Amino acid sequence: MDLDTFRGSQSPLTVEGAQRPQASRLLWLVKWLLALPHYIVLAFLAFFGMFAWLWALIGILLTGRYPRVPFNYLVGLMRWGWRLSYYLYNVGATDAYPPFTLADVPSHPARLDVRYPEKLSRGLVLVKWWLLAIPHYIIVAVLFGFTRPHSDTEGQLATDTNWPGLVPILVLIALIALAVTGTYPQQVYRVVMGFNRWQLRVTAYTLLMTDQYPPFRLDQGAYEPDGPRLTQLPAGWDDWPGDEPAPPPPPKA
């Protein structure tokens, strides 16, 4: 199934993972080291992402439309970040090394896309990325952790990690269970996928990609609740209960 098919989904953002985690018992202990090249490249790309976001803001203010170049670039950054998060400790559900590309990779177990908005509000663009998103920022901080800047004994600015986040704690529990039993716990996977989907919806909203306010709703599981399935289960595997395929879209007239 190609991207053009699932862009008909009601949600402007589609986030998916594989139907079941496929991770080895102990590789997660060194994934942080294996991912170092990604940290370097993404830091470089994120720097230019700030200019792409500013370009988009000005473009929406002037025309009510999201310029295509920054839109495609920022969606690509989100895809790259999601693949890395799925590989590392926001999910930790695959040993498939993330590819170095902004493009969609159908063969990778983690996939993401955002439907291009044909028209956006010029007024909302000034407030949605900070004022309107404040409730979600608080929730995401609880889910994924936060730090607080302070001054050390010499008056220098420093940071403390006040809360590591609920998601890293759940993923750590799942990875310990994986190491002991060889199986990633199903319910933890479903919940963690829902939390990541929540965060990415907020990200798309604050990157100005949609005027649709992120719902205060935990959509658990590997697939969007209102869209067709992208990532397919390997041959011979069965669905987990609750992960049955979504019904196909009605045929076009």
Side-chain angles (χ1 to χ4, degrees), residues 24-252:
S24 59
R25 290 175 182 255
L26 297 176
L27 184 63
W28 59 272
L29 293 172
V30 297
K31 283 181 178 179
W32 63 271
L33 180 61
L34 300 177
L36 284 178
H38 283 279
Y39 301 148
I40 297 170
V41 175
L42 275 176
F44 178 79
L45 295 176
F47 174 78
F48 291 100
M50 294 187 295
F51 295 98
W53 180 88
L54 183 60
W55 179 0
L57 186 147
I58 295 172
I60 296 168
L61 277 176
L62 295 178
T63 68
R65 295 177 63 88
Y66 208 116
R68 277 284 188 176
V69 172
F71 181 84
N72 292 338
Y73 183 78
L74 292 172
V75 170
L77 277 181
M78 290 181 66
R79 284 194 190 109
W80 196 321
W82 170 231
R83 289 190 293 254
L84 189 61
S85 295
Y86 194 83
Y87 176 75
L88 291 175
Y89 308 117
N90 277 3
V91 185
T94 185
D95 290 343
Y97 196 71
F100 288 84
T101 178
L102 299 174
D104 178 66
V105 180
S107 61
H108 196 272
R111 297 182 71 185
L112 178 149
D113 196 54
V114 184
R115 185 168 63 246
Y116 179 75
E118 295 300 331
K119 193 71 175 176
L120 291 168
S121 167
R122 299 186 188 187
L124 277 178
V125 76
L126 295 174
V127 295
K128 65 184 181 183
W129 57 273
W130 66 280
L131 179 62
L132 300 182
I134 286 176
H136 282 287
Y137 288 150
I138 296 171
I139 293 171
V140 169
V142 172
L143 293 178
F144 292 89
F146 58 86
T147 60
R148 181 183 64 182
H150 72 283
S151 297
D152 59 19
T153 55
E154 298 179 356
Q156 300 296 318
L157 187 65
T159 59
D160 276 339
T161 300
N162 296 319
W163 168 244
L166 178 60
V167 170
I169 292 172
L170 288 174
V171 172
L172 178 61
I173 293 172
L175 294 177
I176 292 173
L178 174 65
V180 173
T181 67
T183 302
Y184 196 115
Q186 172 192 353
Q187 191 53 46
V188 175
Y189 179 70
R190 292 177 57 81
V191 171
V192 166
M193 282 293 299
F195 287 149
N196 277 273
R197 184 172 287 116
W198 191 316
Q199 180 196 43
L200 289 164
R201 285 173 178 170
V202 175
T203 300
Y205 185 73
T206 56
L207 289 177
L208 315 177
M209 294 175 175
T210 177
D211 287 339
Q212 182 175 321
Y213 195 72
F216 290 91
R217 185 181 71 232
L218 183 61
D219 290 326
Q220 301 183 41
Y223 306 103
E224 295 288 341
D226 58 355
R229 175 174 295 188
L230 287 180
T231 311
Q232 300 298 319
L233 190 69
W237 287 33
D238 295 323
D239 285 329
W240 272 345
D243 281 343
E244 293 79 10
K252 294 182 179 181

